[in-house]
Amino acid sequence: MSQLTDNLEKHTSLYVDAFNAGDFDTLDRFYTEEAVAVWEPGKPLTGQARREYQREFLARGPRMTAVPRQSFVTGDTALLIVDWVIETIDDAGAPERLEGVGVDVLRLGEDAVWRYAVDDPYGQG
Amino acid sequence: MAFTVDFDPENPDLTNDTDTQNEIFIQVFNSGDGELFNRLYLEDSISNFSGEPLTGADRLAFFKEFLASKPSLKAAVTHAYVAGDVALIGVDYSIETTGPDGEPLLLEGNCTDVLRRLDDGRWLMAIDRPVAATGLVAE
């Protein structure tokens, strides 16, 4: 269990590194093939739509900080609660600060890598 | 006890349908049968309903104790996302129960549920995490 938890904490830190490097291809490997992401509340995206949204989002050079608050691991499935802040720019190019509490479901692959199955950044409150 | 949903107590399946999941969950909870309610979870599933993450025998013991007084649950689905063999469901819930002092107690909040599809095709609870607006279950 502790090994899995270690991997899970590493997951968040590696994800943030890839995000802040604007490295879409690396970031995309943190998602399962069927992953659902909900960066705009009420608008879940999967597959190509998810990838296009994320690629565009990263193109603005956003910076993220993320602090895991709680994690629950059962077998190859985990629920991760994360406090996050993103500094980015809005459509007009002005600085914009986004923040939320992520409620994320992760799956452990056979390669011992945790990946998002559900990425719900505004999952709480 | 009578269930108004299609539900096999010996081999429960929450199904891949969100409204059916919610209805089975409510009806089994309201049956007051903690052992039956526990069958909606896998052996190593994590329930935070007590305020602590419980699995296995500890979880079963809590469910039996908590449901013995037949608390009444209402729950409405707020969102649901299915990603292959795993799903995340959000519900607003309220529970009418009895406090330690014997007085009526209302518990309300939002609960996140993670469900898994088993190899035999059934869906069961993997993790629940209530966040209470009022009542006993806290962060």
Side-chain angles (χ1 to χ4, degrees):
Chain A
M1 184 67 84
S2 67
Q3 178 69 36
L4 296 185
T5 308
D6 289 350
N7 281 354
L8 199 55
E9 285 181 10
K10 201 167 69 180
H11 161 94
T12 300
S13 133
L14 290 172
Y15 180 86
V16 170
D17 287 350
F19 186 95
N20 288 340
D23 183 347
F24 170 77
D25 290 334
T26 299
L27 202 72
D28 193 44
R29 288 199 284 272
F30 284 86
Y31 291 83
T32 67
E33 194 53 37
E34 294 137 320
V36 178
V38 200
W39 292 303
E40 293 183 27
K43 292 185 182 171
L45 299 177
T46 60
Q48 201 54 34
R50 173 185 67 73
R51 292 189 175 93
E52 281 168 16
Y53 186 99
Q54 185 128 38
R55 197 189 292 274
E56 201 170 301
F57 195 90
L58 284 185
R60 297 184 182 192
R63 302 281 301 177
M64 177 195 291
T65 55
V67 181
R69 188 201 293 192
Q70 288 180 311
S71 63
F72 305 102
V73 180
T74 173
D76 60 3
T77 303
L79 177 68
L80 190 59
I81 312 299
V82 181
D83 295 301
W84 61 268
V85 175
I86 292 175
E87 306 277 356
T88 186
I89 52 173
D90 64 17
D91 290 342
E96 182 176 35
R97 187 176 195 268
L98 308 171
E99 61 186 317
V101 181
V103 176
D104 302 324
V105 179
L106 292 98
R107 298 300 305 283
L108 185 67
E110 289 179 359
D111 54 2
V113 174
W114 285 99
R115 293 182 178 84
Y116 291 105
V118 179
D119 177 8
D120 191 2
Y122 302 98
Q124 183 172 306
Chain B
M1 70 201 70
F3 293 105
T4 62
V5 288
D6 184 17
F7 172 72
D8 177 2
E10 298 306 318
N11 205 28
D13 175 12
L14 287 165
T15 81
N16 63 356
D17 179 77
T18 306
D19 292 330
T20 304
Q21 290 161 2
N22 191 42
E23 190 57 34
I24 291 173
F25 193 87
I26 290 169
Q27 292 197 18
V28 175
F29 185 100
N30 288 340
S31 76
D33 184 339
E35 199 280 329
L36 178 58
F37 184 69
N38 190 60
R39 278 184 236 159
L40 301 181
Y41 293 72
L42 298 159
E43 180 65 19
D44 64 351
S45 296
I46 301 169
S47 173
N48 289 282
F49 216 86
S50 67
E52 300 288 330
L54 299 180
T55 65
D58 293 339
R59 188 189 64 219
L60 172 61
F62 172 77
F63 285 162
K64 286 169 93 165
E65 184 186 344
F66 188 73
L67 295 185
S69 64
K70 286 212 168 195
S72 175
L73 167 70
K74 290 178 184 161
V77 175
T78 56
H79 55 281
Y81 309 115
V82 180
D85 60 1
V86 64
L88 177 111
I89 315 292
V91 298
D92 285 332
Y93 67 88
S94 68
I95 298 171
E96 291 175 22
T97 185
T98 306
D101 55 3
E103 294 295 312
L105 181 65
L106 181 65
L107 310 174
E108 289 181 300
N110 182 267
C111 188
T112 297
D113 298 328
V114 178
L115 284 77
R116 286 292 315 280
R117 186 179 65 214
L118 313 187
D119 288 342
D120 65 7
R122 293 184 302 138
W123 287 82
L124 290 177
M125 297 284 291
I127 303 164
D128 69 32
R129 176 181 178 268
V131 175
T134 63
L136 60 77
V137 188
E139 288 276 300

